[in-house]
Amino acid sequence: MSATVIILFLLIVGITLVVTYFAAKRTKTTSEFYTAGGGLTGWQNGLAIAGDYLSAASFLGIAGMIALNGFDGFFYSIGFLIAYLVVLFIVAEPLRNLGKYTLADMINSRFDAKKVRAVAALNTITIVIFYMIAQLVGAGALIKLLFGIDYWIAVLIVGIMMTIYVLFGGMTATSWVQIIKAVLLMVGTIVISIMVLAKFHFNIFEMFTEMKTATPLGEDYLKPGVKYKVPLDTISLMLALVLGTAGLPHILMRFFTVKDAKTARSSVISATWVIGIFYVLTIFLGFGAAYFVGFDKIIEANAAGNMAAPLLAGALGGDFLMSFVSAVAFATILAVVAGLVLSGASAFAHDIYGEIIKKGKITEKQQMLAARYASVGVAILSILLALFTQKMNVAFLVSLAFCVAASANLPVIIFTIYWKKFNTSGAITGMLSGLLSSLILVIISPNVFSPVEGAAIFVGEPLISLTNPAIISVPLGFIGAYIGTVVSKKQDAKRFAEVAVKANTGFKE
């Protein structure tokens, strides 16, 4: 590990701890802990959303996928970007108007039933655990590669840092860590992209022409079909990415950090610009790595291509730029896992303990204490799971988290807002059918079973060929919600009218 890497690493840790210190002074109430008191501006929340959303998988993973697979690697960029249009047009405004701290609050605004809140909390915890394991295992492996330290030490460092941010600074500290990370990530990405484009005389057509002969894939590098050879599997993956974002609890929670629906909408627009520019620039990161670093060096450093962006930075900008990109990757990991801890803790402390066990009869002091205990509990559980799953291939858990979010959460969110006949039974059957179908289909998929030893968790023949089952589980989530509603036949038109007014106007009694 070079001295430059150590200095930049300590600089980022120092800045984020200073932010946490000042945030802790402003975090006295439950509202401030969960939602920063709703005091973020549109652009602040937009940057924080981008910081929460652009994980190491986006920064390092997509750059590597494009470098090694060309056009097919860009599929992830397209899916992640389009996803925000669903968030913008369908979810953001009504969610802000109806919710308080969590997704369960929003759904419960119409049904006011403990079992609905319990199932919504179960979905949130399931998604957070899947997402968190993948992030921490990936973080351990990446920090081991970037900084040359042992896996368990890397996981502990990330785990301790994320616990400090959330425990003392709540959503305020988490938001500012995400904002700092988003700014650093964009600066690093833009600088590297300009350097790549400069090598091609700022002529994008020249870059595409050169790429036809720069890799072992030849002209196929610029065509689809190199990695994703089964169209149905590709469509299923895209469905999970596009629809899943609108059901991710740690992203949805961010809309409660602003004062009203108008600010929530403007924050989505800001986030979409930042995220959109970033994903467009991943072309330069991927193409640049393939051209200036080369296939063999990228694969030699990491078979999945995760070192493509740092290696490209080293090739173009020397040790300093490579160290900067490594430090940005570290900040990226911290920002995402802190948001996940907060989301999981809110489901445990607010939904299950505060609203179900204590029936809402809980003091402000008890709520804060429960939130902090839950944060520590989620962090410890996540660290232990990450340490035990080190040698397992858990990369698929991120796309599974998107699949569960799209199948179990999105149908209920849409029906809660827009379907007059939707009722409690429909909400429960919709969430459970989406959740269970996603889990069962993944268990029998090539992610868990493969005839090739080491390619999946178990050796054996998978029962389905889809690596992401969203094309089946998302319709099952909608069908489950419909059948549950039709069979029970209970309706509350007055409650729906109240919810419709609140969702569209933000009016509250």
Side-chain angles (χ1 to χ4, degrees), residues 138-155:
L142 287 172
I143 292 174
K144 184 180 174 183
L145 279 171
L146 293 169
F147 301 102
I149 56 180
D150 289 341
Y151 172 86
W152 69 272
I153 297 176
V155 170

Side-chain angles (χ1 to χ4, degrees), residues 97-346:
N97 287 336
L98 294 175
K100 185 179 179 185
Y101 299 144
T102 64
L103 173 62
D105 285 335
M106 179 263 186
I107 299 171
N108 231 48
S109 68
R110 179 165 175 187
F111 300 113
D112 198 17
K114 286 182 183 175
K115 45 196 173 183
V116 173
R117 185 181 286 277
V119 178
L122 174 67
N123 283 349
T124 294
I125 293 165
T126 304
I127 293 167
V128 165
I129 288 176
F130 285 155
Y131 215 114
M132 182 69 92
I133 293 174
Q135 291 295 321
L136 282 181
V137 172
L142 287 172
I143 292 174
K144 184 180 174 183
L145 279 171
L146 293 169
F147 301 102
I149 56 180
D150 289 341
Y151 172 86
W152 69 272
I153 297 176
V155 170
L156 275 184
I157 291 173
V158 174
I160 291 170
M161 292 300 296
M162 72 186 185
T163 309
I164 291 173
Y165 298 148
V166 176
L167 191 63
F168 296 103
M171 180 57 91
T172 304
T174 303
S175 297
W176 280 101
V177 169
Q178 290 166 346
I179 290 169
I180 292 168
K181 164 271 182 91
V183 172
L184 289 174
L185 181 64
M186 290 307 295
V187 168
T189 305
I190 290 170
V191 167
I192 296 174
S193 299
I194 291 173
M195 292 174 80
V196 169
L197 202 52
K199 294 286 184 182
F200 294 103
H201 309 100
F202 293 99
N203 186 338
I204 197 165
F205 298 106
E206 182 183 334
M207 182 178 77
F208 275 82
T209 303
E210 291 287 336
M211 293 312 298
K212 289 180 181 176
T213 56
T215 74
L217 297 173
E219 293 192 5
D220 288 341
Y221 187 77
L222 300 178
K223 299 175 183 176
V226 171
K227 181 176 176 62
Y228 302 110
K229 300 184 185 298
V230 182
L232 200 62
D233 205 16
T234 308
I235 293 171
S236 191
L237 172 68
M238 294 298 289
L239 201 62
L241 299 183
V242 170
L243 300 181
T245 303
L248 288 176
H250 64 294
I251 297 296
L252 299 180
M253 196 176 177
R254 292 230 53 90
F255 297 117
F256 305 129
T257 64
V258 294
K259 62 180 180 181
D260 52 29
K262 183 182 177 184
T263 316
R265 201 165 49 241
S266 74
S267 65
V268 178
I269 293 170
S270 301
T272 306
W273 272 106
V274 175
I275 292 167
I277 291 169
F278 170 81
Y279 282 125
V280 169
L281 294 180
T282 55
I283 296 174
F284 298 102
L285 298 183
F287 282 12
Y291 193 88
F292 298 108
V293 179
F295 263 45
D296 294 341
K297 282 188 179 178
I298 294 171
I299 293 174
E300 184 184 342
N302 179 262
N306 288 327
M307 289 297 286
L311 288 172
L312 173 63
L316 297 178
D319 186 53
F320 178 80
L321 191 56
M322 186 174 181
S323 300
F324 177 76
V325 167
S326 300
V328 169
F330 177 68
T332 295
I333 292 164
L334 289 180
V336 175
V337 292
L340 288 169
V341 169
L342 200 55
S343 179
S346 66

Side-chain angles (χ1 to χ4, degrees), residues 79-93:
F80 285 139
L81 176 57
I82 294 174
Y84 263 88
L85 298 179
V86 180
V87 178
L88 175 63
F89 290 114
I90 298 178
V91 173
E93 189 169 336

